[in-house]
Amino acid sequence: MSYLAITFPPDFSSENLFMAVTREAQVITPAEALSRLVTGNKRFVYGNPRYGHDVTQAAATAGGQQPHSVVLGCIDSRVPLEAIFDQPFGSICVARSGAHVLDRSLIGSVGFAVAELGVSLVVVVGHQRCGAVNATVKALRAGTVSEGEIGYLVDQLAPAVREVGIDDPDAAEKAIRAHVIRTTDRLHKVESLAAAMAAGRINVVGAIYDLDSGWVEFLS
Ligand SMILES: [Zn+2]
């Protein structure tokens, strides 16, 4: 039987270890957090990701975490948020649901990341060809009523589809963008998040992920 030898990556110097330990003292601004996501997405798109899913990275963050952002995205298997932003373990909190539809649990999780984990940025990431949004467009056009759990998603997505017009040939793609904006607007109104925003401690932004190119477009 052979045993797995765990080796540290080349840049795992004592200096980096020291930085990891002292990182807790750092205050990451919303602008710096956004910059980390933008540059990470660039690395991903250009095929130069810095971070993988290496056990040494897991071990390096086992003692604590200081995530800079909480990212809310869709459950779609083509949109792994840590990968598209090329972020290491311990750097972003991730919350996902169908078409990033909000409920109390997700809002509570975002609030926890802000209040207890000290993240500086909340990002809502929609994506092209979202199955949940497509299903909603289809249901509204056919006039059918979706039951149960899927019905909840459809009900939550319907306002964005109606906003862009169900007869618009590009209703689904336009609704994805509208739904991101509606979701960020809703988060802006959550009391604890609004207070943190007013104090300049956090920012809440929307974004769209391009499945074909890998780019994330941040909405202003
Ligand atoms: Zn989706």
Coordinates of all heavy atoms in Angstrom, one line a residue, residues 119-178:
V119 N -18.4 39.7 5.4 CA -18.1 40.0 4.0 C -18.4 41.4 3.6 O -19.3 42.1 4.3 CB -18.9 39.0 3.1 CG1 -18.6 37.5 3.5 CG2 -20.4 39.3 3.2
S120 N -17.8 41.9 2.6 CA -17.9 43.3 2.2 C -18.8 43.5 0.9 O -19.1 44.6 0.6 CB -16.6 43.9 1.9 OG -15.7 43.7 2.9
L121 N -19.0 42.3 0.3 CA -19.7 42.4 -1.0 C -20.7 41.3 -1.1 O -20.5 40.1 -0.8 CB -18.7 42.3 -2.1 CG -19.2 42.5 -3.6 CD1 -19.6 43.9 -3.8 CD2 -18.1 42.1 -4.6
V122 N -21.9 41.7 -1.6 CA -23.0 40.7 -2.0 C -23.2 40.7 -3.5 O -23.4 41.8 -4.0 CB -24.3 41.0 -1.3 CG1 -25.4 40.0 -1.6 CG2 -24.1 41.1 0.3
V123 N -23.0 39.6 -4.1 CA -23.1 39.5 -5.6 C -24.2 38.6 -6.0 O -24.3 37.4 -5.5 CB -21.8 39.1 -6.3 CG1 -22.0 39.2 -7.8 CG2 -20.6 39.9 -5.8
V124 N -25.1 39.0 -6.8 CA -26.2 38.2 -7.4 C -25.8 37.8 -8.8 O -25.7 38.7 -9.6 CB -27.6 38.9 -7.3 CG1 -28.7 38.0 -7.9 CG2 -27.9 39.3 -5.9
V125 N -25.6 36.5 -9.1 CA -25.2 36.1 -10.4 C -26.3 35.4 -11.2 O -26.6 34.2 -10.8 CB -23.9 35.3 -10.3 CG1 -23.4 34.9 -11.7 CG2 -22.8 36.0 -9.6
G126 N -26.8 36.0 -12.2 CA -27.7 35.3 -13.1 C -26.9 34.7 -14.3 O -25.7 35.0 -14.4
H127 N -27.5 33.9 -15.1 CA -26.8 33.4 -16.2 C -27.7 33.1 -17.4 O -28.9 33.0 -17.3 CB -26.1 32.1 -15.8 CG -27.0 30.9 -15.6 ND1 -27.3 30.0 -16.6 CD2 -27.8 30.6 -14.5 CE1 -28.2 29.1 -16.1 NE2 -28.5 29.5 -14.9
Q128 N -27.1 33.1 -18.6 CA -27.8 32.8 -19.8 C -28.5 31.4 -19.8 O -28.0 30.5 -19.1 CB -26.8 32.7 -21.0 CG -26.1 33.9 -21.4 CD -25.1 33.6 -22.5 OE1 -24.3 32.7 -22.3 NE2 -25.2 34.2 -23.6
R129 N -29.5 31.3 -20.6 CA -30.2 30.0 -20.8 C -30.5 29.3 -19.5 O -30.3 28.1 -19.3 CB -29.4 29.1 -21.7 CG -29.1 29.8 -23.1 CD -28.5 28.8 -24.1 NE -27.1 28.5 -23.9 CZ -26.1 29.2 -24.3 NH1 -26.3 30.4 -24.9 NH2 -24.9 28.8 -24.1
C130 N -31.1 30.1 -18.6 CA -31.4 29.6 -17.2 C -32.7 28.7 -17.4 O -33.7 29.2 -17.8 CB -31.6 30.7 -16.3 SG -32.0 30.2 -14.6
G131 N -32.6 27.5 -17.0 CA -33.7 26.5 -17.1 C -35.0 27.0 -16.3 O -36.1 26.8 -16.8
A132 N -34.8 27.5 -15.1 CA -35.9 27.9 -14.3 C -36.6 29.1 -14.9 O -37.9 29.2 -14.9 CB -35.4 28.3 -12.9
V133 N -35.9 30.0 -15.5 CA -36.5 31.2 -16.2 C -37.2 30.7 -17.5 O -38.3 31.1 -17.7 CB -35.5 32.3 -16.5 CG1 -36.1 33.4 -17.3 CG2 -34.9 32.8 -15.2
N134 N -36.6 29.9 -18.2 CA -37.2 29.3 -19.4 C -38.5 28.6 -19.1 O -39.5 28.8 -19.8 CB -36.3 28.3 -20.1 CG -35.1 29.0 -20.8 OD1 -35.2 30.2 -21.1 ND2 -34.1 28.2 -21.1
A135 N -38.5 27.8 -18.0 CA -39.7 27.1 -17.6 C -40.8 28.1 -17.2 O -42.0 27.9 -17.5 CB -39.4 26.2 -16.4
T136 N -40.4 29.2 -16.6 CA -41.4 30.2 -16.2 C -42.0 30.9 -17.4 O -43.3 31.1 -17.5 CB -40.7 31.3 -15.3 OG1 -40.2 30.6 -14.2 CG2 -41.8 32.3 -14.8
V137 N -41.2 31.2 -18.4 CA -41.7 31.8 -19.6 C -42.7 30.9 -20.3 O -43.8 31.3 -20.7 CB -40.5 32.2 -20.6 CG1 -41.1 32.6 -22.0 CG2 -39.6 33.3 -20.0
K138 N -42.3 29.6 -20.4 CA -43.1 28.6 -21.0 C -44.5 28.5 -20.3 O -45.6 28.4 -20.9 CB -42.4 27.3 -20.9 CG -42.7 26.3 -22.0 CD -41.8 25.1 -22.0 CE -42.3 23.9 -22.6 NZ -41.5 22.7 -22.5
A139 N -44.4 28.4 -19.0 CA -45.7 28.3 -18.2 C -46.6 29.5 -18.4 O -47.8 29.4 -18.5 CB -45.3 28.1 -16.7
L140 N -46.0 30.7 -18.4 CA -46.8 31.9 -18.5 C -47.4 32.0 -19.9 O -48.6 32.4 -20.1 CB -46.0 33.2 -18.2 CG -45.5 33.3 -16.8 CD1 -44.7 34.6 -16.6 CD2 -46.7 33.4 -15.8
R141 N -46.7 31.6 -20.9 CA -47.2 31.7 -22.3 C -48.3 30.7 -22.5 O -49.3 30.9 -23.2 CB -46.1 31.4 -23.3 CG -45.2 32.6 -23.5 CD -44.1 32.3 -24.5 NE -43.2 33.5 -24.7 CZ -42.0 33.4 -25.3 NH1 -41.5 32.2 -25.7 NH2 -41.3 34.5 -25.4
A142 N -48.2 29.5 -21.8 CA -49.2 28.4 -22.0 C -50.4 28.6 -21.0 O -51.4 28.0 -21.2 CB -48.5 27.1 -21.8
G143 N -50.2 29.5 -20.1 CA -51.2 29.7 -19.1 C -51.4 28.6 -18.1 O -52.4 28.4 -17.5
T144 N -50.3 27.8 -18.0 CA -50.4 26.6 -17.1 C -50.0 27.0 -15.7 O -49.2 28.0 -15.5 CB -49.5 25.5 -17.5 OG1 -48.2 25.9 -17.7 CG2 -50.0 24.9 -18.8
V145 N -50.4 26.3 -14.7 CA -50.1 26.6 -13.3 C -49.2 25.5 -12.8 O -49.5 24.3 -12.9 CB -51.3 26.7 -12.4 CG1 -51.0 26.9 -10.9 CG2 -52.3 27.8 -12.9
S146 N -48.0 25.8 -12.4 CA -47.0 24.8 -11.8 C -47.3 24.6 -10.4 O -47.5 25.6 -9.6 CB -45.6 25.3 -12.0 OG -45.3 25.5 -13.4
E147 N -47.3 23.4 -10.0 CA -47.7 23.0 -8.6 C -46.5 22.9 -7.7 O -45.4 22.7 -8.2 CB -48.5 21.7 -8.6 CG -49.7 21.7 -9.5 CD -50.9 22.5 -8.9 OE1 -50.8 22.9 -7.7 OE2 -51.8 22.7 -9.6
G148 N -46.7 22.9 -6.4 CA -45.7 22.6 -5.5 C -44.4 23.4 -5.5 O -44.5 24.6 -5.7
E149 N -43.3 22.7 -5.3 CA -42.0 23.4 -5.1 C -41.6 24.2 -6.4 O -41.1 25.3 -6.4 CB -40.9 22.5 -4.8 CG -41.1 21.8 -3.4 CD -42.1 20.7 -3.4 OE1 -42.5 20.3 -4.5 OE2 -42.6 20.3 -2.3
I150 N -41.9 23.6 -7.6 CA -41.5 24.2 -8.8 C -42.4 25.5 -9.0 O -42.0 26.5 -9.5 CB -41.6 23.3 -10.0 CG1 -40.6 22.2 -9.8 CG2 -41.4 24.0 -11.3 CD1 -40.6 21.1 -10.9
G151 N -43.7 25.3 -8.6 CA -44.6 26.4 -8.6 C -44.1 27.6 -7.9 O -44.3 28.8 -8.3
Y152 N -43.4 27.4 -6.8 CA -42.9 28.5 -6.0 C -41.8 29.3 -6.8 O -41.8 30.5 -6.8 CB -42.2 28.0 -4.7 CG -41.6 29.1 -3.9 CD1 -42.4 29.9 -3.1 CD2 -40.2 29.3 -3.9 CE1 -41.8 30.9 -2.3 CE2 -39.6 30.3 -3.2 CZ -40.4 31.1 -2.4 OH -39.8 32.1 -1.6
L153 N -41.0 28.5 -7.5 CA -40.0 29.2 -8.3 C -40.6 30.0 -9.4 O -40.3 31.1 -9.7 CB -39.0 28.1 -9.0 CG -38.0 27.4 -8.1 CD1 -37.1 26.5 -8.9 CD2 -37.2 28.4 -7.3
V154 N -41.6 29.4 -10.1 CA -42.3 30.1 -11.2 C -43.0 31.3 -10.7 O -42.9 32.4 -11.3 CB -43.3 29.1 -11.8 CG1 -44.3 29.9 -12.8 CG2 -42.6 28.0 -12.6
D155 N -43.6 31.3 -9.5 CA -44.3 32.4 -8.9 C -43.3 33.6 -8.7 O -43.6 34.7 -8.8 CB -45.0 32.1 -7.6 CG -46.2 31.2 -7.9 OD1 -46.7 31.2 -9.0 OD2 -46.7 30.6 -6.9
Q156 N -42.1 33.2 -8.2 CA -41.1 34.2 -7.8 C -40.4 34.8 -9.1 O -40.0 35.9 -9.0 CB -40.0 33.5 -7.0 CG -40.5 33.1 -5.6 CD -41.0 34.2 -4.7 OE1 -40.3 35.2 -4.5 NE2 -42.2 34.1 -4.2
L157 N -40.4 34.0 -10.2 CA -39.8 34.5 -11.4 C -40.7 35.2 -12.3 O -40.3 36.0 -13.2 CB -39.1 33.3 -12.1 CG -37.9 32.7 -11.4 CD1 -37.5 31.4 -12.0 CD2 -36.7 33.7 -11.5
A158 N -42.0 35.0 -12.1 CA -43.0 35.5 -13.0 C -43.0 37.1 -13.1 O -43.1 37.6 -14.2 CB -44.4 35.1 -12.6
P159 N -42.8 37.8 -12.0 CA -42.8 39.3 -12.2 C -41.7 39.8 -13.1 O -41.9 40.7 -13.9 CB -42.5 39.8 -10.7 CG -43.0 38.7 -9.9 CD -42.7 37.4 -10.6
A160 N -40.5 39.1 -13.1 CA -39.4 39.6 -14.1 C -39.8 39.3 -15.5 O -39.5 40.1 -16.4 CB -38.1 38.8 -13.7
V161 N -40.5 38.1 -15.7 CA -40.9 37.8 -17.1 C -42.0 38.7 -17.6 O -42.0 39.2 -18.7 CB -41.4 36.3 -17.1 CG1 -41.9 36.0 -18.5 CG2 -40.3 35.3 -16.7
R162 N -42.9 39.0 -16.7 CA -44.0 39.9 -17.0 C -43.5 41.3 -17.3 O -43.9 42.1 -18.2 CB -45.1 40.0 -15.9 CG -45.9 38.7 -15.8 CD -47.2 38.9 -15.1 NE -47.9 37.7 -15.0 CZ -47.9 36.9 -13.9 NH1 -47.1 37.3 -12.8 NH2 -48.5 35.8 -13.8
E163 N -42.4 41.7 -16.5 CA -41.8 43.0 -16.7 C -41.3 43.2 -18.1 O -41.4 44.3 -18.7 CB -40.7 43.2 -15.7 CG -40.0 44.6 -15.7 CD -38.8 44.6 -14.7 OE1 -39.0 44.2 -13.6 OE2 -37.7 45.1 -15.2
V164 N -40.7 42.2 -18.7 CA -40.1 42.3 -20.0 C -41.1 42.0 -21.1 O -40.9 42.3 -22.3 CB -38.8 41.4 -20.2 CG1 -37.8 41.8 -19.2 CG2 -39.1 40.0 -20.1
G165 N -42.2 41.3 -20.7 CA -43.3 41.0 -21.7 C -43.2 39.6 -22.1 O -42.2 39.2 -22.7
I166 N -44.2 38.8 -21.9 CA -44.2 37.3 -22.1 C -44.1 37.0 -23.6 O -43.7 36.0 -24.0 CB -45.3 36.5 -21.4 CG1 -46.7 37.0 -22.0 CG2 -45.2 36.6 -19.9 CD1 -47.8 36.1 -21.5
D167 N -44.6 38.0 -24.4 CA -44.6 37.8 -25.9 C -43.3 38.2 -26.6 O -43.2 37.9 -27.8 CB -45.8 38.5 -26.5 CG -47.1 37.9 -26.0 OD1 -47.2 36.7 -25.8 OD2 -48.1 38.7 -25.8
D168 N -42.5 38.8 -25.9 CA -41.2 39.2 -26.4 C -40.4 37.9 -26.8 O -40.3 37.0 -26.0 CB -40.4 40.0 -25.4 CG -39.1 40.6 -26.0 OD1 -38.4 39.9 -26.7 OD2 -38.9 41.8 -25.8
P169 N -39.9 37.9 -28.1 CA -39.2 36.6 -28.5 C -38.0 36.4 -27.6 O -37.5 35.2 -27.5 CB -38.8 36.9 -29.9 CG -39.2 38.3 -30.2 CD -40.1 38.8 -29.2
D170 N -37.4 37.4 -27.0 CA -36.2 37.2 -26.2 C -36.6 37.4 -24.7 O -35.8 37.7 -23.9 CB -35.1 38.3 -26.5 CG -34.6 38.1 -27.9 OD1 -34.5 36.9 -28.4 OD2 -34.4 39.1 -28.6
A171 N -37.8 37.0 -24.4 CA -38.3 37.2 -23.0 C -37.4 36.5 -22.0 O -37.1 37.1 -20.9 CB -39.7 36.7 -22.9
A172 N -37.0 35.3 -22.2 CA -36.2 34.6 -21.2 C -34.9 35.3 -20.9 O -34.5 35.5 -19.8 CB -36.0 33.1 -21.7
E173 N -34.2 35.6 -22.0 CA -32.9 36.3 -21.8 C -33.0 37.6 -21.1 O -32.2 38.0 -20.2 CB -32.1 36.4 -23.1 CG -31.7 35.0 -23.7 CD -30.9 34.1 -22.7 OE1 -29.9 34.6 -22.1 OE2 -31.3 33.0 -22.4
K174 N -34.0 38.4 -21.5 CA -34.3 39.7 -20.9 C -34.7 39.5 -19.5 O -34.4 40.3 -18.6 CB -35.3 40.5 -21.7 CG -34.8 41.0 -23.1 CD -35.9 41.7 -23.8 CE -35.3 42.2 -25.2 NZ -36.4 42.8 -26.0
A175 N -35.5 38.5 -19.2 CA -36.0 38.3 -17.9 C -34.9 37.9 -16.9 O -35.0 38.3 -15.7 CB -37.1 37.2 -17.9
I176 N -33.9 37.2 -17.4 CA -32.8 36.9 -16.5 C -32.1 38.1 -15.9 O -31.9 38.3 -14.7 CB -31.8 36.0 -17.3 CG1 -32.3 34.6 -17.5 CG2 -30.4 36.0 -16.6 CD1 -31.7 33.8 -18.6
R177 N -31.9 39.1 -16.8 CA -31.3 40.4 -16.4 C -32.3 41.1 -15.4 O -31.8 41.6 -14.4 CB -31.0 41.2 -17.6 CG -30.2 42.5 -17.4 CD -29.8 43.0 -18.8 NE -28.8 42.2 -19.4 CZ -27.4 42.4 -19.4 NH1 -27.0 43.6 -18.8 NH2 -26.6 41.6 -20.0
A178 N -33.5 41.1 -15.8 CA -34.5 41.8 -15.0 C -34.6 41.2 -13.6 O -34.7 41.9 -12.6 CB -35.9 41.8 -15.7

